[in-house]
Amino acid sequence: MRTFSPRPADIQASWYVVDAQGEILGRLATRIAHVLRGKHKPTFAPHVDNGDVVVVVNAAGVRLTGNKGAQKLAHRHSGYPGSLKSVPFARILEERPERLIENAVKGMLPKNSVGRSQLRKLKVYAGPDHPHAAQNPQPLPR
C-alpha cells in the first residue's frame, strides 16, 4: 500500500468564521492554527498547505489572562543598532488588536514557505463585520 500525499486537485478549502469576543488569546490561537494547518482533516500532510481559511471577527474583544496586558511585552527590531522597541500587550490590544492575534497564530505555524502560505489564509478584523460573506463561512466547531 502506498502512502497518500495530497495533490493540489485534492485540496478543498472551507471557510470558517470565529468570534473572538471574550475568548482567551492563546486558546483561540491554537484552535485557529490547528485549522490553518489542516490537522483536522484526514488528508493532513506536513509538507502541503491543505488547511482552511479562517476569518476572525471582534478581535478587539479577545482576553488576556492574569497581568499579561501590563507585564508582557511585544518586541520588534528593525535590524539597526539600538532600535529594539518594546510595547505592552494592553497597548497593542487598544491600537491594533488584529496584530495581536496574527502574531500569536504566526508563532504556532511552521517557519517556512508552507507556514507563510497558511498564514495568508487568516483574516482578522477588529469589529463584527467582514467582507467575506460571499464565501459563506461556517462557524468554527469547538
Side-chain angles (χ1 to χ4, degrees), residues 17-50:
V17 65
V18 179
D19 188 4
Q21 186 69 40
E23 296 278 339
I24 297 171
L25 176 64
R27 293 171 190 264
L28 176 68
T30 55
R31 284 178 48 213
I32 293 170
H34 190 81
V35 173
L36 287 175
R37 290 208 62 199
K39 293 188 99 176
H40 63 293
K41 295 182 177 183
T43 58
F44 171 72
H47 65 286
V48 178
D49 178 16
N50 63 348

Side-chain angles (χ1 to χ4, degrees), residues 57-137:
V57 293
N58 291 325
V62 76
R63 284 186 13 220
L64 300 170
T65 57
N67 253 353
K68 290 189 190 92
Q71 292 178 350
K72 194 170 174 90
L73 300 174
H75 305 288
R76 66 181 192 275
H77 197 284
S78 70
Y80 288 97
S83 66
L84 179 69
K85 304 273 194 266
S86 299
V87 181
F89 270 34
R91 185 166 159 203
I92 297 173
L93 190 57
E94 284 176 13
E95 297 172 4
R96 296 284 307 270
E98 308 94 3
R99 188 164 292 167
L100 200 60
I101 293 177
E102 287 168 1
N103 286 340
V105 172
K106 181 181 179 181
M108 297 177 185
L109 294 177
K111 278 61 172 180
N112 54 28
S113 58
V114 175
R116 288 188 294 275
S117 67
Q118 290 167 347
L119 190 63
R120 280 193 287 271
K121 293 182 177 182
L122 175 65
K123 320 288 185 199
V124 185
Y125 300 98
D129 301 325
H130 64 85
H132 305 289
Q135 283 73 26
N136 194 19

